[in-house]
Amino acid sequence: MILPWVTSENDIINPVDGTVIFDTSDTKVKYLAAGAWIGLNADPNLVTPVTIDTSLQDTKTENTNAMVRIGTNVDPDVDGILVLSDTNKAMVLPKVASPHLNVVNPAPGMIVYDTTSRLVAVFTGDAWSFWGPR
């Protein structure tokens, strides 16, 4: 799964708590909680953000009506490209064994569950960042 790319968290109009993005300005996956953006992949090995090649989307015109809503509690006023809303279900990430070895051409913002390390893995455009219990 590739998270939506944005050039800045400030570009999102009317975000709601639970929104997840890949910010190309600092190559971080972020989510909105209590109105504040929280960076998830704080990898100490990634000293400076890499420059992300956004040419894949630069020439495209955004379809502002594009949206998929899944769930029984979907708020019609929530904007999002994919809105998952339910009280007793969760999204399951794609499962990949050792994505750093097996994903041939990862895109920035790609997020998977690594079945080998049993961690969530995110590709930042330069390296894989692994998250799990501390």
Side-chain angles (χ1 to χ4, degrees):
M1 180 172 94
I2 300 173
L3 296 171
W5 294 355
V6 298
T7 54
S8 169
E9 62 197 36
N10 299 321
D11 292 344
I12 301 172
I13 300 168
N14 300 323
V16 297
D17 286 349
T19 299
V20 181
I21 59 168
F22 179 70
D23 189 334
T24 61
S25 68
D26 58 10
T27 65
K28 289 185 179 179
V29 172
K30 298 177 181 178
Y31 75 98
L32 191 66
W37 288 102
I38 310 293
L40 290 176
N41 53 320
D43 187 336
N45 297 320
L46 300 175
V47 179
T48 58
V50 297
T51 301
I52 300 298
D53 178 7
T54 59
S55 61
L56 178 68
Q57 68 180 20
D58 289 344
T59 60
K60 307 296 183 207
T61 302
E62 182 176 353
N63 178 351
T64 57
N65 295 319
M67 179 184 296
V68 174
R69 296 173 186 250
I70 301 172
T72 58
N73 299 311
V74 176
D75 181 344
D77 295 326
V78 172
D79 287 333
I81 202 155
L82 174 61
V83 179
L84 304 175
S85 177
D86 219 320
T87 57
N88 62 356
K89 295 179 182 75
M91 179 181 70
V92 177
L93 294 173
K95 297 177 183 179
V96 179
S98 303
H100 61 292
L101 301 175
N102 292 314
V103 178
V104 177
N105 190 18
M110 179 177 281
I111 184 169
V112 299
Y113 177 74
D114 181 352
T115 58
T116 303
S117 66
R118 299 190 334 192
L119 298 171
V120 173
V122 174
F123 187 69
T124 64
D126 181 47
W128 286 94
S129 177
F130 295 86
W131 316 336
R134 301 208 188 286

